[in-house]
Protein backbone atom coordinates (compact mmCIF):
# COMPACT_ATOMS: atom_id res chain seq x y z
CA UNK A 1 0.00 0.00 0.00
CA UNK A 2 2.90 2.37 0.80
CA UNK A 3 6.20 2.00 -1.04
CA UNK A 4 9.10 4.38 -0.46
CA UNK A 5 12.46 4.08 -2.18
CA UNK A 6 15.60 6.12 -1.61
CA UNK A 7 13.81 8.94 0.23
CA UNK A 8 16.00 11.89 1.12
CA UNK A 9 15.03 15.27 2.56
CA UNK A 10 17.49 18.02 3.50
CA UNK A 11 16.96 21.32 5.30
CA UNK A 12 19.36 24.22 5.58
CA UNK A 13 19.90 26.40 8.63
CA UNK A 14 18.43 29.87 8.11
CA UNK A 15 21.17 32.39 7.50
CA UNK A 16 23.83 29.67 7.26
CA UNK A 17 24.16 28.30 3.75
CA UNK A 18 27.06 26.12 4.82
CA UNK A 19 24.94 24.18 7.33
CA UNK A 20 22.64 21.47 5.98
CA UNK A 21 20.52 19.16 8.13
CA UNK A 22 19.69 15.81 6.54
CA UNK A 23 16.33 14.92 8.07
CA UNK A 24 15.70 11.74 6.04
CA UNK A 25 18.68 9.99 4.51
CA UNK A 26 17.97 7.32 1.89
CA UNK A 27 15.02 5.57 3.56
CA UNK A 28 13.29 2.56 1.99
CA UNK A 29 9.90 1.56 3.41
CA UNK A 30 7.23 -0.95 2.45
CA UNK A 31 3.89 -1.09 4.27
CA UNK A 32 1.50 -3.85 3.22
CA UNK A 33 -2.22 -3.25 2.81
CA UNK A 34 -3.99 -3.55 6.15
CA UNK A 35 -0.78 -3.41 8.18
CA UNK A 36 -0.11 -1.23 11.22
CA UNK A 37 3.47 -0.03 10.83
CA UNK A 38 5.22 1.99 13.53
CA UNK A 39 8.31 4.16 13.08
CA UNK A 40 10.03 4.50 16.44
CA UNK A 41 12.70 7.03 17.30
CA UNK A 42 13.79 9.89 19.51
CA UNK A 43 13.04 13.53 18.78
CA UNK A 44 15.11 14.68 15.84
CA UNK A 45 15.36 11.23 14.27
CA UNK A 46 13.47 12.34 11.13
CA UNK A 47 10.14 10.62 11.85
CA UNK A 48 7.86 13.62 11.28
CA UNK A 49 9.64 14.60 8.08
CA UNK A 50 9.24 11.05 6.80
CA UNK A 51 5.51 11.11 7.56
CA UNK A 52 5.02 14.48 5.87
CA UNK A 53 6.80 13.18 2.79
CA UNK A 54 4.33 10.30 2.55
CA UNK A 55 1.39 12.66 2.01
CA UNK A 56 3.62 15.20 0.24
CA UNK A 57 3.23 18.02 2.72
CA UNK A 58 6.99 17.98 2.27
CA UNK A 59 8.36 17.18 -1.17
CA UNK A 60 11.46 14.99 -0.90
CA UNK A 61 14.69 16.01 -2.57
CA UNK A 62 15.28 12.48 -3.82
CA UNK A 63 13.41 9.20 -4.00
CA UNK A 64 9.87 8.05 -4.77
CA UNK A 65 6.69 7.76 -2.71
CA UNK A 66 3.94 5.45 -3.97
CA UNK A 67 0.61 5.08 -2.17
CA UNK A 68 -2.06 2.70 -3.40
CA UNK A 69 -0.18 2.16 -6.65
CA UNK A 70 0.05 5.90 -7.42
CA UNK A 71 3.49 7.51 -7.43
CA UNK A 72 2.83 10.76 -5.58
CA UNK A 73 6.29 12.16 -6.27
CA UNK A 74 5.47 12.16 -9.99
CA UNK A 75 2.26 14.19 -9.59
CA UNK A 76 1.78 17.95 -9.81
CA UNK A 77 -0.66 20.26 -8.05
CA UNK A 78 -4.27 19.20 -8.77
CA UNK A 79 -3.63 15.47 -9.40
CA UNK A 80 -1.58 15.42 -6.21
CA UNK A 81 -4.30 17.10 -4.17
CA UNK A 82 -6.85 14.60 -5.47
CA UNK A 83 -4.57 11.65 -4.68
CA UNK A 84 -4.09 12.94 -1.16
CA UNK A 85 -7.82 12.54 -0.48
CA UNK A 86 -7.05 8.86 0.01
CA UNK A 87 -4.64 9.61 2.86
CA UNK A 88 -5.97 10.66 6.27
CA UNK A 89 -3.81 12.20 8.99
CA UNK A 90 -4.22 12.61 12.73
CA UNK A 91 -2.09 15.03 14.72
CA UNK A 92 -0.43 15.08 18.10
CA UNK A 93 -2.24 18.22 19.28
CA UNK A 94 -5.60 17.50 17.60
CA UNK A 95 -5.57 20.52 15.18
CA UNK A 96 -9.27 21.26 15.71
CA UNK A 97 -11.04 24.51 14.85
CA UNK A 98 -12.17 26.00 18.16
CA UNK A 99 -14.97 27.98 16.52
CA UNK A 100 -16.61 24.86 15.06
CA UNK A 101 -18.58 22.15 16.79
CA UNK A 102 -17.47 18.53 16.79
CA UNK A 103 -19.72 17.90 13.77
CA UNK A 104 -18.38 21.00 12.06
CA UNK A 105 -14.79 19.90 12.50
CA UNK A 106 -15.48 16.48 11.05
CA UNK A 107 -17.44 18.01 8.17
CA UNK A 108 -14.63 20.39 7.27
CA UNK A 109 -12.76 17.96 5.02
CA UNK A 110 -15.99 17.11 3.21
CA UNK A 111 -16.81 20.78 2.66
CA UNK A 112 -13.42 21.38 1.05
CA UNK A 113 -14.00 18.55 -1.40
CA UNK A 114 -17.50 19.79 -2.28
CA UNK A 115 -19.59 16.99 -0.78
CA UNK A 116 -23.30 18.01 -0.70
CA UNK A 117 -24.79 19.11 2.64
CA UNK A 118 -27.13 16.14 3.15
CA UNK A 119 -24.39 13.66 2.34
CA UNK A 120 -22.03 15.48 4.70
CA UNK A 121 -24.55 15.29 7.53
CA UNK A 122 -25.02 11.54 7.09
CA UNK A 123 -21.29 10.88 6.85
CA UNK A 124 -20.50 12.96 9.94
CA UNK A 125 -23.12 11.13 12.01
CA UNK A 126 -21.72 7.79 10.84
CA UNK A 127 -18.17 8.78 11.75
CA UNK A 128 -19.04 10.12 15.19
CA UNK A 129 -20.75 6.84 16.02
CA UNK A 130 -17.73 4.99 14.72
CA UNK A 131 -15.34 6.79 17.10
CA UNK A 132 -17.70 6.75 20.08
CA UNK A 133 -18.84 10.39 20.02
CA UNK A 134 -22.40 9.96 18.79
CA UNK A 135 -23.80 12.21 21.52
CA UNK A 136 -21.25 15.01 21.24
CA UNK A 137 -21.92 16.40 17.77
CA UNK A 138 -22.92 19.86 19.05
CA UNK A 139 -20.11 20.24 21.59
CA UNK A 140 -17.15 22.54 20.99
CA UNK A 141 -13.49 21.47 21.33
CA UNK A 142 -13.13 23.46 24.55
CA UNK A 143 -15.78 21.24 26.14
CA UNK A 144 -13.97 17.98 25.33
CA UNK A 145 -11.30 15.95 27.07
CA UNK A 146 -8.00 15.25 25.31
CA UNK A 147 -9.12 11.76 24.32
CA UNK A 148 -12.39 13.07 22.91
CA UNK A 149 -10.53 15.72 20.91
CA UNK A 150 -8.32 13.05 19.40
CA UNK A 151 -11.39 10.99 18.50
CA UNK A 152 -12.72 14.02 16.63
CA UNK A 153 -9.37 14.24 14.82
CA UNK A 154 -9.60 10.58 13.88
CA UNK A 155 -13.16 10.98 12.60
CA UNK A 156 -12.12 13.97 10.50
CA UNK A 157 -9.17 12.03 9.07
CA UNK A 158 -11.56 9.27 7.99
CA UNK A 159 -14.14 11.59 6.43
CA UNK A 160 -13.02 11.07 2.82
CA UNK A 161 -12.88 7.26 3.27
CA UNK A 162 -9.09 6.97 2.99
CA UNK A 163 -7.37 3.64 2.71
CA UNK A 164 -4.25 4.97 4.47
CA UNK A 165 -4.12 6.71 7.85
CA UNK A 166 -1.02 8.56 9.04
CA UNK A 167 -0.60 9.16 12.76
CA UNK A 168 1.81 11.86 13.96
CA UNK A 169 2.48 11.05 17.65
CA UNK A 170 -1.30 10.82 18.13
CA UNK A 171 -1.11 9.64 21.75
CA UNK A 172 1.93 11.48 23.13
CA UNK A 173 -0.20 14.31 24.58
CA UNK A 174 -2.55 11.90 26.38
CA UNK A 175 -2.49 10.17 29.75
CA UNK A 176 -1.85 6.39 29.85
CA UNK A 177 -5.50 5.36 30.23
CA UNK A 178 -6.63 7.61 27.37
CA UNK A 179 -3.69 6.45 25.27
CA UNK A 180 -4.87 2.87 25.74
CA UNK A 181 -8.41 3.73 24.58
CA UNK A 182 -7.14 5.54 21.47
CA UNK A 183 -4.85 2.64 20.58
CA UNK A 184 -7.78 0.21 20.93
CA UNK A 185 -9.82 2.46 18.64
CA UNK A 186 -7.08 2.59 15.99
CA UNK A 187 -6.67 -1.18 16.07
CA UNK A 188 -10.44 -1.62 15.76
CA UNK A 189 -10.55 0.76 12.77
CA UNK A 190 -7.64 -1.10 11.19
CA UNK A 191 -9.52 -4.38 11.43
CA UNK A 192 -13.02 -3.15 10.57
CA UNK A 193 -12.06 -0.91 7.65
CA UNK A 194 -8.95 -2.78 6.44
CA UNK A 195 -7.21 0.53 7.09
CA UNK A 196 -3.45 0.72 6.51
CA UNK A 197 -1.89 2.72 9.35
CA UNK A 198 1.57 4.28 9.36
CA UNK A 199 2.37 5.90 12.66
CA UNK A 200 5.36 7.59 14.20
CA UNK A 201 6.04 7.51 17.90
CA UNK A 202 8.70 7.65 20.58
CA UNK A 203 6.58 5.47 22.88
CA UNK A 204 7.44 1.79 23.02
CA UNK A 205 3.94 1.12 24.40
CA UNK A 206 2.40 2.14 21.07
CA UNK A 207 4.52 -0.33 19.13
CA UNK A 208 3.84 -3.03 21.70
CA UNK A 209 0.07 -2.59 21.62
CA UNK A 210 -0.88 -2.20 17.96
CA UNK A 211 2.05 -2.50 15.52
CA UNK A 212 2.58 -5.66 13.54
CA UNK A 213 5.59 -4.16 11.74
CA UNK A 214 8.05 -1.51 12.87
CA UNK A 215 11.24 0.37 12.11
CA UNK A 216 13.72 2.02 14.42
CA UNK A 217 14.88 5.37 13.04
CA UNK A 218 17.97 7.30 14.03
CA UNK A 219 19.65 10.30 12.41
CA UNK A 220 17.42 10.08 9.34
CA UNK A 221 17.95 6.38 8.67
CA UNK A 222 16.32 3.08 9.55
CA UNK A 223 18.65 1.02 11.71
CA UNK A 224 16.29 -1.96 11.54
CA UNK A 225 12.91 -2.66 9.98
CA UNK A 226 10.51 -5.56 9.59
CA UNK A 227 7.77 -7.58 11.27
CA UNK A 228 7.85 -7.10 15.05
CA UNK A 229 8.04 -10.86 15.68
CA UNK A 230 11.01 -11.15 13.29
CA UNK A 231 12.83 -8.25 14.94
CA UNK A 232 12.31 -9.77 18.39
CA UNK A 233 14.23 -12.86 17.27
CA UNK A 234 17.02 -10.89 15.60
CA UNK A 235 20.24 -10.93 17.67
CA UNK A 236 21.13 -7.45 18.91
CA UNK A 237 17.76 -5.95 17.92
CA UNK A 238 17.19 -2.46 19.35
CA UNK A 239 13.44 -2.98 19.16
CA UNK A 240 13.68 -6.18 21.20
CA UNK A 241 15.73 -4.35 23.84
CA UNK A 242 13.19 -1.55 23.95
CA UNK A 243 10.13 -3.78 24.15
CA UNK A 244 11.65 -6.12 26.72
CA UNK A 245 14.52 -4.37 28.53
CA UNK A 246 16.73 -6.68 30.60
CA UNK A 247 18.44 -4.78 33.39
CA UNK A 248 20.28 -7.67 35.01
CA UNK A 249 23.84 -9.04 35.43
CA UNK A 250 25.52 -10.29 32.28
CA UNK A 251 28.00 -12.56 34.08
CA UNK A 252 27.89 -14.76 37.17
CA UNK A 253 30.59 -17.04 38.52
CA UNK A 254 30.12 -20.59 37.30
CA UNK A 255 27.03 -19.66 35.26
CA UNK A 256 26.34 -19.15 31.58
CA UNK A 257 24.13 -16.04 31.31
CA UNK A 258 22.02 -16.00 28.13
CA UNK A 259 19.17 -13.96 26.66
CA UNK A 260 16.20 -15.97 25.40
CA UNK A 261 13.38 -14.67 23.18
CA UNK A 262 10.18 -16.63 22.54
CA UNK A 263 6.94 -15.89 20.71
CA UNK A 264 3.68 -17.54 19.75
CA UNK A 265 2.73 -20.74 21.55
CA UNK A 266 6.16 -21.08 23.13
CA UNK A 267 5.68 -17.78 24.97
CA UNK A 268 3.01 -19.42 27.15
CA UNK A 269 4.50 -22.90 27.28
CA UNK A 270 6.28 -24.03 30.50
CA UNK A 271 9.51 -24.02 28.52
CA UNK A 272 11.90 -23.12 31.33
CA UNK A 273 10.35 -25.64 33.69
CA UNK A 274 10.76 -28.26 30.98
CA UNK A 275 14.44 -27.39 30.62
CA UNK A 276 14.96 -27.71 34.38
CA UNK A 277 13.22 -31.12 34.52
CA UNK A 278 14.73 -32.58 31.35
CA UNK A 279 18.33 -31.71 32.20
CA UNK A 280 17.97 -31.75 35.99
CA UNK A 281 19.47 -28.31 36.37
CA UNK A 282 18.63 -25.10 38.19
CA UNK A 283 17.42 -22.31 35.87
CA UNK A 284 17.66 -18.82 37.35
CA UNK A 285 15.48 -16.13 35.79
CA UNK A 286 17.43 -12.90 36.27
CA UNK A 287 14.96 -10.67 34.41
CA UNK A 288 12.22 -10.85 31.81
CA UNK A 289 8.54 -10.89 31.02
CA UNK A 290 5.87 -12.25 28.67
CA UNK A 291 3.36 -9.83 27.15
CA UNK A 292 0.66 -9.64 24.50
CA UNK A 293 1.80 -7.80 21.39
CA UNK A 294 -0.41 -6.77 18.48
CA UNK A 295 0.11 -9.98 16.52
CA UNK A 296 1.30 -12.52 19.09
CA UNK A 297 2.38 -13.29 22.62
CA UNK A 298 6.09 -12.80 23.14
CA UNK A 299 8.64 -12.81 25.91
CA UNK A 300 12.30 -12.16 26.58
CA UNK A 301 14.34 -13.45 29.49
CA UNK A 302 17.85 -13.31 30.90
CA UNK A 303 18.72 -16.71 32.32
CA UNK A 304 21.59 -18.16 34.32
CA UNK A 305 22.34 -21.78 33.36
CA UNK A 306 25.12 -24.11 34.51
CA UNK A 307 28.31 -23.27 32.61
CA UNK A 308 29.87 -25.84 30.29
CA UNK A 309 26.61 -27.60 29.30
CA UNK A 310 25.37 -26.69 25.81
CA UNK A 311 22.44 -29.13 25.80
CA UNK A 312 19.88 -26.78 27.45
CA UNK A 313 20.65 -24.02 24.94
CA UNK A 314 20.39 -26.47 22.02
CA UNK A 315 17.01 -27.64 23.34
CA UNK A 316 15.71 -24.07 23.62
CA UNK A 317 16.75 -23.37 20.04
CA UNK A 318 15.06 -26.55 18.84
CA UNK A 319 11.85 -25.24 20.41
CA UNK A 320 12.07 -22.04 18.36
CA UNK A 321 13.66 -19.74 20.92
CA UNK A 322 16.36 -17.28 19.96
CA UNK A 323 19.26 -17.67 22.39
CA UNK A 324 22.39 -15.54 22.58
CA UNK A 325 25.04 -14.71 25.20
CA UNK A 326 23.90 -11.88 27.45
CA UNK A 327 25.49 -8.51 26.78
CA UNK A 328 25.08 -5.20 28.53
CA UNK A 329 22.31 -3.26 26.82
CA UNK A 330 23.53 0.23 25.87
CA UNK A 331 21.63 3.41 26.60
CA UNK A 332 20.01 5.20 23.66
CA UNK A 333 22.54 7.12 21.60
CA UNK A 334 22.26 10.92 21.53
CA UNK A 335 20.36 12.42 18.62
CA UNK A 336 22.06 14.78 16.20
CA UNK A 337 19.96 17.90 15.63
CA UNK A 338 20.37 21.65 14.96
CA UNK A 339 21.39 23.92 17.79
CA UNK A 340 18.38 25.46 19.64
CA UNK A 341 18.99 28.94 18.23
CA UNK A 342 19.02 27.75 14.63
CA UNK A 343 15.97 27.62 12.38
CA UNK A 344 15.77 25.16 9.52
CA UNK A 345 13.81 25.72 6.34
CA UNK A 346 13.23 23.37 3.39
CA UNK A 347 15.69 23.46 0.54
CA UNK A 348 12.69 23.06 -1.75
CA UNK A 349 9.14 24.23 -1.22
CA UNK A 350 6.23 21.77 -1.31
CA UNK A 351 4.53 21.51 -4.66
CA UNK A 352 1.11 22.05 -3.06
CA UNK A 353 -0.78 25.31 -2.89
CA UNK A 354 -4.22 25.87 -1.43
CA UNK A 355 -5.88 24.14 1.54
CA UNK A 356 -4.54 20.94 3.04
CA UNK A 357 -7.66 18.87 3.69
CA UNK A 358 -6.26 16.94 6.63
CA UNK A 359 -3.97 19.60 8.07
CA UNK A 360 -5.67 22.89 7.31
CA UNK A 361 -6.80 23.32 10.89
CA UNK A 362 -3.26 23.06 12.24
Amino acid sequence: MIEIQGLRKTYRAKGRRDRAVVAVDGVDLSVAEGDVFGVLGQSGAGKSTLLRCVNMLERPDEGTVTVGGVELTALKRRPLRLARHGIGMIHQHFALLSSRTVAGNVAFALEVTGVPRNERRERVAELLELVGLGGRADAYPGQLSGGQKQRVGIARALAARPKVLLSDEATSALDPETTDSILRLLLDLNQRLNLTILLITHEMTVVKRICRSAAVMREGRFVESGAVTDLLHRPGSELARGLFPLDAPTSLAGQAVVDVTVSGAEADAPLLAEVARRFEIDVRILAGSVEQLAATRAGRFRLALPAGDDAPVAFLRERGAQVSPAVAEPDARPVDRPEPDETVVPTTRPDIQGPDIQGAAS
Side-chain angles (χ1 to χ4, degrees):
M1 180 59 74
I2 302 174
E3 296 289 338
I4 294 176
Q5 295 184 341
L7 193 72
R8 183 179 175 86
K9 180 64 181 179
T10 303
Y11 297 92
R12 60 177 174 80
K14 187 176 181 180
R16 291 184 57 180
R17 296 182 180 277
D18 61 331
R19 176 69 185 274
V21 178
V22 181
V24 180
D25 189 9
V27 164
D28 295 330
L29 171 65
S30 180
V31 183
E33 182 178 358
D35 198 4
V36 180
F37 194 110
V39 178
L40 183 73
Q42 298 176 346
S43 296
K47 308 185 304 295
S48 292
T49 300
L50 171 65
L51 201 71
R52 291 172 65 84
C53 285
V54 173
N55 63 3
M56 299 299 290
L57 290 177
E58 295 280 2
R59 180 169 285 278
D61 300 322
E62 299 176 16
T64 61
V65 177
T66 302
V67 178
V70 178
E71 186 183 334
L72 301 186
T73 41
L75 301 180
K76 301 295 183 182
R77 296 183 180 276
R78 179 173 172 76
L80 179 56
R81 288 198 295 270
L82 293 175
R84 290 174 65 241
H85 294 174
I87 305 174
M89 186 167 181
I90 52 178
H91 304 267
Q92 177 180 358
H93 295 295
F94 321 128
L96 303 181
L97 296 171
S98 60
S99 60
R100 282 179 172 245
T101 64
V102 166
N105 270 279
V106 177
F108 179 71
L110 300 174
E111 293 175 20
V112 173
T113 55
V115 175
R117 183 186 299 272
N118 288 340
E119 187 176 337
R120 289 202 306 266
R121 187 179 299 112
E122 291 178 4
R123 179 62 176 157
V124 168
E126 174 188 346
L127 287 166
L128 292 181
E129 288 293 336
L130 186 64
V131 301
L133 292 176
R136 303 291 282 167
D138 296 328
Y140 285 87
Q143 299 171 309
L144 304 178
S145 67
Q148 289 173 327
K149 290 177 183 178
Q150 194 56 282
R151 287 171 183 267
V152 177
I154 293 171
R156 182 185 57 194
L158 297 176
R161 304 180 191 275
K163 288 297 183 181
V164 172
L165 182 65
L166 307 181
S167 171
D168 185 3
E169 298 274 12
T171 60
S172 62
L174 305 175
D175 62 77
E177 184 176 353
T178 305
T179 291
D180 190 62
S181 71
I182 293 299
L183 293 179
R184 288 199 306 269
L185 173 61
L186 290 177
L187 193 57
D188 179 61
L189 293 171
N190 161 255
Q191 295 168 350
R192 292 174 61 179
L193 305 178
N194 193 33
L195 192 64
T196 303
I197 300 177
L198 174 62
L199 59 88
I200 64 169
T201 184
H202 64 273
E203 299 174 289
M204 197 62 70
T205 300
V206 175
V207 175
K208 186 178 293 185
R209 287 297 310 277
I210 69 170
C211 294
R212 290 186 284 274
S213 303
V216 177
M217 193 172 191
R218 186 170 58 238
E219 298 177 5
R221 297 185 178 186
F222 286 172
V223 297
E224 60 183 10
S225 177
V228 170
T229 50
D230 292 341
L231 294 178
L232 283 175
H233 287 271
R234 182 178 298 174
S237 167
E238 288 192 25
L239 185 74
R241 293 200 302 265
L243 289 174
F244 297 96
L246 300 176
D247 185 12
T250 57
S251 63
L252 293 173
Q255 301 283 297
V257 182
V258 297
D259 292 341
V260 178
T261 302
V262 290
S263 62
E266 296 303 334
D268 289 321
L271 193 57
L272 303 186
E274 189 174 348
V275 170
R277 289 194 302 267
R278 177 182 290 257
F279 299 99
E280 298 182 344
I281 61 174
D282 292 329
V283 178
R284 289 182 60 189
I285 302 176
L286 304 178
S289 64
V290 174
E291 296 189 46
Q292 179 65 47
L293 305 183
T296 187
R297 293 274 288 174
R300 188 167 178 252
F301 303 93
R302 182 157 292 172
L303 307 179
L305 304 172
D309 186 356
D310 295 333
V313 169
F315 173 77
L316 288 169
R317 287 174 174 158
E318 287 174 4
R319 292 292 297 270
Q322 190 270 318
V323 186
S324 60
V327 295
E329 300 193 342
D331 295 332
R333 292 169 52 183
V335 177
D336 232 354
R337 55 182 150 228
E339 296 298 322
D341 60 346
E342 293 182 324
T343 303
V344 296
V345 296
T347 55
T348 58
R349 297 180 61 184
D351 188 43
I352 305 166
Q353 303 295 327
D356 160 29
I357 291 175
Q358 303 299 342
S362 58

